[in-house]
Amino acid sequence: MSNTYRTIILARMGEIALKGLNRGKFERQLIDNLRWRLKEYGAFSIVQSQSRIWIEPKDSNPDILEDKETADLVLHAVTQVFGLVSASLVWKFDGDMESIKEHAVKLTDEILSEHDYKTFKVESKRGDKRFPLASPEICCDVGEAILIAHPELVVDVHDPDFIIYVEVRENRFVYSEKLEGHRGLPVGTAGKGMLLLSGGIDSPVAGYMMASRGMQLEAIYFHSYPYTSERALEKVKDLARIVSQYSGTILLHVCNFTDIQLDLYKNSPQDMLTITMRRIMFEIAEELANKQGCKCLITGESLGQVASQTIEAIQITNEVVKTMPVFRPLIGLDKEETCNISRRIGAFETSILPYEDCCTVFVAKHPKTHPQRKHIVEAEEKLDIPALVKKGIEGIETYKIERVSRVNE
Ligand code: ATP
Ligand code: MG
């Protein structure tokens, strides 16, 4: 039974399906994003029907999904596009009930060659009402065929080890596994934000979370070369590349922060250094954000995590930002939850590489954890902040970061 089917992908939309009048806008963006994400694998026809999306190789590369390894890569890439609940590799074919049974049995053979499963069930949908059997009968017939081929299996309709899905439409379809998507809303439907991206665990996760709400990202990294190494910058680029698998292209702005930090180090009290530094970072980020058309700042701050993240420190840092909100999606998460997301998106291993960031180099021994406004007024007395911000903006270099390419090229 060779070449009797074509492998395609079926993806299921999540929250978008709940959208009202502007649902079309979300769907079009999702399809554009899928096309962008899959372009490295070739051309696909991407068709939406109700809350589902059918992704099929075009004739220019009809067999791309017939190689299991490539098919898994493409499926994985599909699930990284925000807006999808899940996706499956699906066999598409034609024919009558005999053909459906043959394909369902063959799929079962493949599943059992990889898994030690004991129980299963069949679920079916009949979209083509001209098909002579109704859904329950299709389930029975297919289940019977599978049991004949594999008498060791047992049907369990409540908690089966695997499910064979059968769909009868203008074509026939069988599939089994569903790979979970990252849900959220399609990037490009919620404006653009400026992510303060360091080399740590938190900020890449913060960027991922805002992108999952449909936000396009740009990022700024404050680099204190040579106090922080070239490797630290490479690590930040790698992290941006990982996030861009989900968010799409990221413009990464690298702000040369060394002179500014040396100035702060000289002219502002040690115990307020972290706060004065963070206020300047926020001012530079805000100015750049406005220039780039970003409507918010995004940070990886989490309440109480370190001295600079007490409510007083956040308040005093936040007040320099006048024209946009600062989003802190991790504010209520504990570190373990953030680490779990970091692992899930594939950033953790890179984040924990031990390259110093600028804050650890110039960090004060005893930072003030509950700074008050009078402290900051004193601390900034000798600083020419507008000049420092201008200097920061002028020294920015920008890189275009694209997602990680497929490994087998
Ligand atoms: P992360 O894991 O993201 O580095 P953190 O727990 O180390 O965060 P801080 O160093 O206090 O916490 O930084 C808080 C937030 O400030 C970071 O999540 C990031 O958004 C921003 N930030 C810190 N350092 C930099 C930097 N060098 N460049 C850009 N943003 C930074
Ligand atoms: Mg950090």
Side-chain angles (χ1 to χ4, degrees):
M1 205 180 76
S2 61
N3 293 332
T4 55
Y5 63 86
R6 277 187 85 184
T7 306
I8 66 170
I9 290 175
L10 170 60
R12 300 160 194 90
M13 289 191 273
E15 204 177 324
I16 301 173
L18 304 174
K19 293 277 165 203
L21 283 179
N22 53 5
R23 176 173 164 171
K25 183 184 115 191
F26 286 84
E27 289 166 348
R28 279 192 297 279
Q29 185 72 57
L30 175 60
I31 289 175
D32 280 355
N33 294 354
L34 279 165
R35 194 161 283 125
W36 181 87
R37 186 65 183 82
L38 296 184
K39 68 173 190 256
E40 66 186 287
Y41 299 102
F44 291 85
S45 131
I46 303 178
V47 177
Q48 176 231 333
S49 158
Q50 288 161 345
S51 63
R52 314 204 297 177
I53 293 180
W54 299 85
I55 302 168
E56 201 162 333
K58 283 199 171 152
D59 288 341
S60 46
N61 60 335
D63 297 328
I64 176 109
L65 297 179
E66 304 314 330
D67 170 52
K68 180 81 172 107
E69 216 170 287
T70 311
D72 283 340
L73 280 177
V74 178
L75 183 67
H76 182 70
V78 166
T79 61
Q80 288 181 322
V81 176
F82 287 123
L84 298 173
V85 176
S86 66
S88 309
L89 292 172
V90 174
W91 291 355
K92 173 183 175 182
F93 52 95
D94 292 320
D96 55 12
M97 201 54 217
E98 278 315 302
S99 171
I100 293 174
K101 287 195 284 192
E102 274 174 33
H103 286 87
V105 168
K106 184 174 157 63
L107 181 60
T108 305
D109 295 344
E110 284 202 2
I111 293 167
L112 293 178
S113 71
E114 286 178 19
H115 303 275
D116 187 22
Y117 288 154
K118 307 266 187 294
T119 60
F120 78 105
K121 76 168 171 177
V122 181
E123 282 189 11
S124 93
K125 278 201 183 107
R126 186 183 60 154
D128 176 3
K129 298 296 175 208
R130 291 165 310 179
F131 194 77
L133 300 183
S135 291
E137 295 162 322
I138 297 173
C139 285
C140 275
D141 281 16
V142 171
E144 191 182 16
I146 291 173
L147 284 171
I148 290 169
H150 292 279
E152 74 281 12
L153 286 175
V154 176
V155 174
D156 179 346
V157 291
H158 301 295
D159 185 25
D161 293 336
F162 69 101
I163 302 175
I164 296 286
Y165 298 91
V166 177
E167 296 201 18
V168 177
R169 302 177 181 279
E170 67 284 13
N171 302 99
R172 322 291 175 229
F173 305 91
V174 295
Y175 58 94
S176 181
E177 278 174 305
K178 293 182 182 179
L179 189 61
E180 255 194 66
H182 286 253
R183 299 175 187 265
L185 296 171
V187 171
T189 57
K192 198 162 61 167
M194 180 65 71
L195 169 66
L196 281 78
L197 180 63
S198 70
I201 294 170
D202 301 330
S203 42
V205 172
Y208 162 87
M209 284 175 74
M210 292 314 300
S212 85
R213 298 312 300 160
M215 184 161 270
Q216 206 187 327
L217 299 180
E218 293 198 15
I220 180 165
Y221 167 58
F222 296 93
H223 188 35
S224 303
Y225 186 78
Y227 297 92
T228 50
S229 63
E230 249 345 283
R231 303 270 299 274
L233 172 58
E234 286 311 309
K235 176 180 169 185
V236 170
K237 286 184 189 164
D238 286 343
L239 287 170
R241 215 170 279 124
I242 292 165
V243 175
S244 75
Q245 292 178 96
Y246 306 90
S247 70
T249 307
I250 294 177
L251 286 186
L252 172 65
H253 307 278
V254 178
C255 173
N256 188 340
F257 209 44
T258 316
D259 289 349
I260 298 171
Q261 275 197 302
L262 290 172
D263 194 300
L264 297 182
Y265 203 64
K266 232 174 39 212
N267 295 317
S268 126
Q270 278 288 314
D271 62 353
M272 286 296 285
L273 212 50
T274 311
I275 304 286
T276 50
M277 183 186 76
R278 294 187 64 74
R279 280 165 61 102
I280 295 258
M281 281 183 173
F282 276 54
E283 281 204 45
I284 294 171
E286 183 188 22
E287 186 161 332
L288 179 68
N290 275 318
K291 240 169 80 179
Q292 295 296 115
C294 297
K295 297 194 173 65
C296 65
L297 301 183
I298 304 164
T299 79
E301 288 161 297
S302 169
L303 191 62
Q305 195 183 82
V306 288
S308 62
Q309 296 175 22
T310 62
I311 184 61
E312 290 85 357
I314 289 178
Q315 182 193 20
I316 293 229
T317 314
N318 196 72
E319 67 185 18
V320 302
V321 183
K322 300 280 193 292
T323 58
M324 54 183 66
V326 180
F327 290 143
R328 300 174 172 87
L330 312 186
I331 198 72
L333 298 192
D334 70 37
K335 194 75 186 186
E336 195 48 39
E337 292 170 289
T338 303
C339 288
N340 286 340
I341 302 174
S342 174
R343 285 191 196 93
R344 188 156 61 82
I345 67 175
F348 191 73
E349 294 303 319
T350 305
S351 282
I352 58 174
L353 292 173
Y355 307 124
E356 68 293 338
D357 70 33
C358 70
C359 314
T360 56
V361 177
F362 289 95
V363 81
K365 286 191 190 64
H366 301 289
K368 234 189 223 347
T369 45
H370 302 283
Q372 296 166 16
R373 193 154 293 109
K374 63 177 187 213
H375 298 131
I376 195 69
V377 173
E378 279 166 29
E380 291 182 346
E381 234 163 28
K382 284 201 255 160
L383 303 175
D384 182 352
I385 296 195
L388 292 175
V389 171
K390 186 160 176 272
K391 188 172 199 168
I393 293 280
E394 282 169 0
I396 283 175
E397 279 177 31
T398 299
Y399 300 84
K400 187 175 172 184
I401 307 286
E402 300 260 33
R403 71 195 179 284
V404 184
S405 276
R406 55 192 291 201
V407 281
N408 60 347
E409 246 170 4

